[in-house]
């Protein structure tokens, strides 16, 4: 779709999926009813959105405007102000959209921390791996998407089994295993990836990372939802999704800042000796700021085009490699958090033993 209809067309793909999901959900999902009447937290929504907007803007634009520019510094100040106001409001609002008291529950806070880390470390990496495959290896959009199929299929195969394992043995083990596998995979990519790396070297790493993500996601959601009980399961799931989405937004901005800072510092000296005129240099530099290389339509000789491509490849990797290692480190830290705070087998066994002693069915427990 991207290759033939444009990148905007990808958003229409979600329409039939959403319709099918709505029909299935209305027929199969039991409605949960809360004893407490809920109200829309408009003030919290506005404050949280503004805080997220300013920090994302600052991280994305800092490389172009300069980290010390008044606009960037002002954006960080506004982010801090809106964040403090958001937290203050959520602590005092009886109908808060993000009830902060739930973060006192270890498995709830740990599950959301893991969701945030997965969004920041892993999902943001998909974006830059796509740029790597298209800009460095010259893959088409379709071929780049097909390159992720091993990871996608591994997630599909692993996630249901991980969920069943977590329901019996707790979420700690699959989450620890999955985050460790995914984090190590990202670190390996950061160490091994070069402009000439074969896809067949990436294949087993993608496969292992898919198994890791599949082993993490379902147990993570189960741990958070069970920590707040069935009446708040919807709220727990929503907060987990929010943590993951916010992590993804900030991850793209932060990893993008790491990548473009290194790319810019390495690319400018490399192209200085290629004999580009000011107009050509301006066009090339503008593309490089956004992680792409412009060589067509600006009157370059074949030797200049080849030299620019080589310079861009080397400069891109100097920024991409530390970004991948940083992303892997985030997931390894999340692995430690999950291992320390997510309930494991002993919690499930104690709950089931207590239920059996009372001649009852096993009850839901934190996983």
């Amino acid at each position: 779709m991207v290759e033939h209809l444009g990148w905007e067309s990808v958003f229409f793909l979600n329409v039939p999926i959403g319709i099918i999901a709505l029909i299935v959900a209305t027929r199969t999902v039991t409605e949960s009813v809360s004893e407490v009447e809920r109200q829309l937290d408009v003030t919290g929504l506005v404050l949280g959105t503004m805080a997220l907007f300013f920090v994302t803007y600052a991280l994305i634009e800092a490389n172009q405007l300069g980290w010390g520019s008044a606009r960037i510094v002002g954006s960080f100040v506004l982010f801090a102000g809106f964040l403090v106001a958001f937290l203050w409001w959520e602590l005092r609002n009886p109908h808060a959209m993000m009830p902060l008291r739930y973060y006192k529950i270890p498995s709830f806070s740990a599950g959301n921390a893991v969701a945030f880390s997965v969004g920041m470390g892993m999902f943001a990496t998909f974006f830059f791996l796509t740029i790597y495959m298209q800009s460095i290896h010259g893959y088409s959009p379709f071929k780049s998407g097909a390159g992720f199929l091993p990871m996608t299929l591994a997630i599909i195969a692993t996630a249901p089994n991980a969920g069943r394992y977590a329901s019996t043995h707790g979420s700690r083990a699959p989450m620890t295993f999955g985050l460790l596998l995914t984090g190590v995979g990202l670190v390996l990519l950061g160490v091994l990836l070069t402009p000439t790396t074969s896809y067949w070297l990436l294949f087993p790493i993608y496969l292992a990372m898919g198994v890791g993500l599949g082993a993490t996601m379902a147990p993570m959601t189960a741990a958070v939802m069970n920590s707040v009980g069935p009446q708040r399961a919807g709220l727990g799931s929503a907060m987990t999704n929010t943590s993951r989405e916010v992590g993804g937004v900030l991850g793209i901005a932060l990893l993008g800042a790491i990548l473009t800072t290194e790319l810019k510092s390495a690319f400018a000296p490399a192209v200085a000796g290629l004999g580009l005129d000011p107009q050509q240099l301006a066009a090339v530099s503008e593309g490089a700021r956004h992680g792409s290389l412009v060589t067509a339509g600006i009157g370059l000789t074949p030797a200049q085009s080849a030299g620019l491509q080589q310079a861009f490849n080397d400069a891109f990797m100097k920024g991409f490699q530390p970004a991948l290692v940083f992303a892997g480190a985030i997931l390894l830290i999340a692995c430690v958090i999950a291992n320390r705070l997510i309930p494991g087998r002993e919690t499930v066994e104690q709950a089931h033993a207590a239920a059996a002693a009372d001649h009852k069915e096993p009850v839901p427990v934190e996983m």
Side-chain angles (χ1 to χ4, degrees), residues 126-148:
F126 289 149
F127 176 75
F128 296 108
L129 281 172
T130 302
I131 294 177
Y132 165 79
M133 289 193 286
Q134 292 188 33
S135 297
I136 306 299
H137 281 282
Y139 286 6
S140 66
F142 176 80
K143 189 174 181 180
S144 297
F148 289 113

Side-chain angles (χ1 to χ4, degrees), residues 14-248:
N14 293 322
V15 175
I17 296 175
I19 294 173
I20 294 172
L22 177 63
I23 294 173
V24 173
T26 53
R27 295 186 176 185
T28 61
V29 177
T30 303
E31 182 64 58
S32 61
V33 180
S34 174
E35 297 176 356
V36 181
E37 183 181 358
R38 301 285 297 171
Q39 296 179 8
L40 183 62
D41 181 12
V42 177
T43 302
L45 177 63
V46 172
L47 292 174
T49 301
M50 294 304 294
L52 184 59
F53 168 79
F54 280 112
V55 69
T56 304
Y57 174 82
L59 289 172
I60 290 176
E61 297 296 331
N63 287 301
Q64 184 170 352
L65 300 177
W67 289 91
S69 72
R71 189 180 299 181
I72 298 303
V73 173
S75 295
F76 279 121
V77 171
L78 288 171
F79 157 68
F82 278 110
L83 179 61
V84 170
F86 172 74
L87 295 176
W88 178 85
W89 174 259
E90 294 300 287
L91 282 170
R92 286 157 179 77
N93 182 13
H95 301 287
M97 71 173 187
M98 185 180 291
L100 299 181
R101 65 183 182 275
Y102 288 135
Y103 285 96
K104 297 179 181 179
I105 304 172
S107 57
F108 180 88
S109 57
N112 277 282
V114 169
F116 179 85
S117 300
V118 169
M120 175 174 279
M122 189 63 228
F123 292 159
T125 304
F126 289 149
F127 176 75
F128 296 108
L129 281 172
T130 302
I131 294 177
Y132 165 79
M133 289 193 286
Q134 292 188 33
S135 297
I136 306 299
H137 281 282
Y139 286 6
S140 66
F142 176 80
K143 189 174 181 180
S144 297
F148 289 113
L149 276 179
M151 190 183 301
T152 304
L153 294 176
I155 293 173
I156 294 172
T158 306
N161 295 313
R164 283 192 290 269
Y165 181 92
S167 66
T168 305
H169 304 286
S171 295
R172 180 190 300 161
M175 288 179 67
T176 301
F177 167 76
L179 290 166
L180 180 63
L181 203 59
T182 309
V184 170
L186 284 175
V187 173
L188 283 176
L189 287 177
V191 173
L192 299 177
L193 218 56
T194 69
T196 58
T197 299
S198 168
Y199 174 78
W200 297 110
L201 179 63
L202 303 180
F203 179 86
I205 299 177
Y206 282 177
L207 198 63
M209 290 168 61
V211 172
L213 281 175
T216 300
M217 301 306 290
M220 175 190 72
T221 303
V224 173
M225 292 175 64
N226 284 293
S227 69
V228 297
Q231 289 186 343
R232 292 287 185 272
L235 176 63
S237 176
M239 292 181 72
T240 304
N241 287 332
T242 300
S243 297
R244 185 169 57 244
E245 296 298 332
V246 170

Side-chain angles (χ1 to χ4, degrees), residues 254-325:
L254 184 57
L255 297 185
I258 295 173
L259 190 154
T260 53
T261 298
E262 293 295 324
L263 189 155
K264 184 178 178 181
S265 63
F267 187 63
V271 301
L274 294 178
L276 303 182
D277 61 42
Q279 290 78 14
Q280 292 172 331
L281 187 59
V284 170
S285 299
E286 180 62 25
R289 288 194 189 100
H290 298 87
S292 62
L293 179 63
V294 177
T295 58
I298 56 175
L300 296 176
T301 67
Q304 287 175 324
S305 296
L308 275 176
Q309 185 67 59
Q310 183 62 46
F312 178 82
N313 291 353
D314 294 340
F316 183 90
M317 295 311 303
K318 286 183 179 179
F320 193 32
Q321 288 169 332
L324 287 169
V325 172

Side-chain angles (χ1 to χ4, degrees), residues 291-364:
S292 62
L293 179 63
V294 177
T295 58
I298 56 175
L300 296 176
T301 67
Q304 287 175 324
S305 296
L308 275 176
Q309 185 67 59
Q310 183 62 46
F312 178 82
N313 291 353
D314 294 340
F316 183 90
M317 295 311 303
K318 286 183 179 179
F320 193 32
Q321 288 169 332
L324 287 169
V325 172
F326 178 79
I330 291 174
L331 290 182
L332 293 177
I333 292 172
C335 174
V336 175
I337 293 173
N339 185 260
R340 297 294 183 182
L341 297 177
I342 295 295
R345 180 195 298 267
E346 64 280 358
T347 304
V348 177
E349 290 177 346
Q350 289 170 7
H352 287 182
D358 291 336
H359 305 287
K360 297 177 181 178
E361 293 295 325
V363 295

